[in-house]
Amino acid sequence: MPSNPLFHPVSERTRTVAVRDQIQMALAIAEPALLKALLVNCIPEIAELSRIGAIFSQVSVPVGDHQAADGILQFEAIRCLLADPQPQLDLPSNGGWTRESKELSRLTQHESELQTLGHHLALAPAIALLANSGFRPEQIDEILRLPHYAWYKSWWYAIDPISGQFTVPFLRCIRTMHYPDGTHTLQYKDFFEHEKPTCFTSLPEKVLTVIRPEGQGFGDTLRQINYQRERLGIERAVLICNTISELEAQAFIHQGISVYPAIELILPTQADCEHCARRDCPMNGKTDSLVALCLGFLLESEYV
């Protein structure tokens, strides 16, 4: 958008092809933090940072007819969150119903079917699976040492569809089945008030990433995105732009497409301040410059 300082030309003298290559290389080697920023800082955002689990990218993904999508982001969309600290879970064995026990009964009035979290897992994968779900080491140890008839109880939060926050509590019971070969099967069932949790912790999601060539019109860009979304079965998309007008940005957003500044993904290049053509830079011409990598480095031979 013109009013957003992020959306400005990467360089007046940088060729579009070079920009595309640099962005694809950045997506191919990017750390998870940068990929998450692509989903969080695009306009409008696709996901909140707290709701993104593991994430990775693919580039130049075939879509048919000898065409390829610039990239696809695959990430785990977190839908359930382990509560911490864990409250007291047991109902009173005698003495009648208390206010707390009535509340607990209301929150756990429905029961889900038995689900398998992991089947015949070795010890290390079982520990990793539980750790990635948010359990602490002492909780994992307790879960994996349970006899087959016992259940580990824990409180979780699901997303409230109205507020969009993790505020809907439910009770989750986990048990461990032990086998002679040393493997474990983890099973669970949920007790909830209204809506059954959709998953254990997260669901896989994909986002199409499209790098807009400089000078490509709105209609051609939208046609490309819609074709790739249909062929790949991906609804969400991020358009990475060098420059974009506010009217175009609004039009893309109304078509369910987020926009993101290309400058945020350009890789720095090896620099030599002594031979750089950017006269407005305070380091220009300095023989003792400590700058090794620079986004704006320009050779004298490329200066026009």
Side-chain angles (χ1 to χ4, degrees):
M1 301 179 187
S3 58
N4 191 322
L6 290 176
F7 289 93
H8 62 276
V10 172
S11 168
E12 298 86 351
R13 307 173 187 88
T14 301
R15 295 178 301 164
T16 302
V17 174
V19 171
R20 178 183 233 93
D21 285 344
Q22 289 186 59
I23 293 175
Q24 284 197 302
M25 286 188 291
L27 292 175
I29 64 177
E31 295 291 331
L34 188 147
L35 298 179
K36 290 179 180 180
L38 184 57
L39 300 180
V40 172
N41 298 330
C42 59
I43 307 171
E45 71 173 12
I46 288 181
E48 294 182 10
L49 184 60
S50 61
R51 299 185 189 176
I52 303 175
I55 185 172
F56 66 94
S57 64
Q58 295 175 284
V59 297
S60 297
V61 181
V63 296
D65 298 331
H66 305 288
Q67 297 187 38
D70 292 320
I72 293 177
L73 293 182
Q74 300 187 48
F75 71 99
E76 295 178 358
I78 299 174
R79 301 293 179 87
C80 300
L81 196 64
L82 180 65
D84 189 32
Q86 291 291 315
Q88 178 65 34
L89 303 174
D90 295 329
L91 289 171
S93 57
N94 52 48
W97 290 86
T98 64
R99 180 176 180 180
E100 290 76 14
S101 63
K102 289 180 180 179
E103 178 70 6
L104 176 59
S105 179
R106 179 181 65 82
L107 294 175
T108 59
Q109 58 186 300
H110 299 292
E111 178 181 345
S112 72
E113 65 276 13
L114 184 65
Q115 302 278 353
T116 298
L117 178 60
H119 186 64
H120 278 282
L121 298 174
L123 182 59
I127 293 175
L129 182 59
L130 293 171
N132 290 336
S133 300
F135 287 106
R136 300 189 300 273
E138 60 272 19
Q139 294 174 308
I140 296 173
D141 184 65
E142 184 176 350
I143 292 172
L144 294 179
R145 291 179 181 273
L146 288 174
H148 70 276
Y149 53 83
W151 295 86
Y152 182 87
K153 300 176 182 179
S154 56
W155 280 106
W156 292 66
Y157 289 108
I159 297 176
D160 186 323
I162 298 178
S163 68
Q165 302 301 315
F166 290 100
T167 56
V168 179
F170 66 93
L171 179 63
R172 173 163 286 165
C173 297
I174 305 175
R175 73 177 182 184
T176 304
M177 309 296 291
H178 305 272
Y179 300 100
D181 61 358
T183 60
H184 309 77
T185 290
L186 300 173
Q187 297 178 317
Y188 72 96
K189 62 172 60 177
D190 296 327
F191 297 84
F192 53 94
E193 183 178 7
H194 296 301
E195 297 293 330
K196 181 177 70 173
T198 57
C199 58
F200 191 76
T201 56
S202 60
L203 292 174
E205 291 195 15
K206 294 182 179 181
V207 176
L208 175 69
T209 57
V210 178
I211 306 167
R212 185 187 189 186
E214 194 70 23
Q216 186 179 60
F218 170 78
D220 290 338
T221 304
L222 184 60
R223 188 180 305 110
Q224 172 190 347
I225 293 174
N226 286 338
Y227 171 78
Q228 294 180 358
R229 289 200 292 193
E230 181 179 353
R231 293 300 299 266
L232 295 171
I234 301 174
E235 182 60 30
R236 293 184 171 183
V238 175
L239 178 62
I240 301 171
C241 310
N242 189 6
T243 58
I244 189 172
S245 70
E246 187 165 355
L247 181 61
E248 282 184 313
Q250 291 178 357
F252 282 122
I253 290 171
H254 276 80
Q255 293 298 307
I257 301 166
S258 298
V259 292
Y260 188 84
I263 189 65
E264 295 293 299
L265 292 172
I266 297 297
L267 295 172
T269 57
Q270 288 188 338
D272 182 355
C273 294
E274 184 180 4
H275 300 98
C276 181
R278 296 197 177 276
R279 309 302 184 200
D280 56 343
C281 176
M283 301 301 294
N284 179 257
K286 292 188 176 293
T287 59
D288 58 348
S289 172
L290 299 178
V291 177
L293 297 173
C294 180
L295 288 171
F297 174 67
L298 183 67
L299 285 173
E300 292 279 1
S301 59
E302 296 178 5
Y303 182 79
V304 178

